[in-house]
Amino acid sequence: LAGTVPEEERCTVERADASLTYSLFLQRFAFSRPVILRGVTDNSAFRALCTREKLLAAFGAHLVRLSTANTYSYRKVDVPFREYVEQLLKPQDPAQLGSDTLYFFGDNNFTEWGPLFQQYVPPAFRIPGTNPAYSFGIAGSGSGVPFHWHGPGYSEVIFGRKRWFLYPPDKTPHFHPNETTLAWLHNTYPALPLAERPLECTLRPGEVLYFPDRWWHATLNLDTSVFISTFLG
């Protein structure tokens, strides 16, 4: 099941290209709704450093902190990066609970990963009064983070595809906090009336999603994926 998760029938998140100005971004999206940006940055150099071979050569012996994929409590486990890639990076088991699902997203050691992050070009648009912080991750097909919210930010897919589900702050989604996004998609999503379905879209390499403050969102990696988020806190 995890390897055959489809994209959405129709992307319902607005898209914009490099013609989007900062003033228009602030006016239309920054505080009101998500948008997918294409062609606003060139991260081909960063992408070249994120292949399996390059990452294992540079960081294979480093410890990485894995997190459980449930909404309100996160168990942390430290393992060597090579062990994660070679043994734990696999498709999501549809029957597995979020508390038993571990994968690498965020919790980066910025001293060790700093040389890689220095090559990343984040979107230029900033929210006034915020500072950016990076969260880098690698995850298997069918994995993802269930519904949660935090401050505004960006997320870019480097390899693979990542499907997003988003609700505005005043519309709390129905979900079990220990249910994976894959289980929610199979068990809850099909029964949702059209009016209660989230905004959704699948990001491909080079596309960047912006999400405003306190928007609920869940993610689902359709392939083995490499991704990086820029949190504006």
Side-chain angles (χ1 to χ4, degrees), residues 140-155:
S141 64
S143 65
V145 180
F147 281 107
H148 63 289
W149 60 264
H150 43 67
Y154 296 96
S155 184

Side-chain angles (χ1 to χ4, degrees), residues 135-216:
S135 173
F136 181 70
I138 302 171
S141 64
S143 65
V145 180
F147 281 107
H148 63 289
W149 60 264
H150 43 67
Y154 296 96
S155 184
E156 179 169 353
V157 172
I158 306 302
F159 290 110
R161 294 169 300 154
K162 181 184 285 283
R163 186 171 170 182
W164 283 73
F165 308 89
L166 303 112
Y167 283 102
D170 60 353
K171 195 170 183 180
T172 303
H174 174 71
F175 68 99
H176 189 285
N178 200 24
E179 183 179 52
T180 65
T181 306
L182 183 64
W184 175 85
L185 181 66
H186 288 308
N187 300 332
T188 301
Y189 179 91
L192 291 176
L194 288 179
E196 294 182 20
R197 291 201 169 179
L199 292 179
E200 55 182 310
C201 202
T202 296
L203 288 187
R204 295 173 181 81
E207 294 183 322
V208 183
L209 172 73
Y210 169 77
F211 50 88
D213 187 31
R214 295 177 181 267
W215 270 65
W216 288 94

Side-chain angles (χ1 to χ4, degrees), residues 4 11 24 33 52 63 123 129 138 184 206 212 227:
T4 58
C11 173
L24 198 57
R33 62 184 188 271
R52 176 187 174 101
L63 288 179
I138 302 171
W184 175 85
F227 45 89

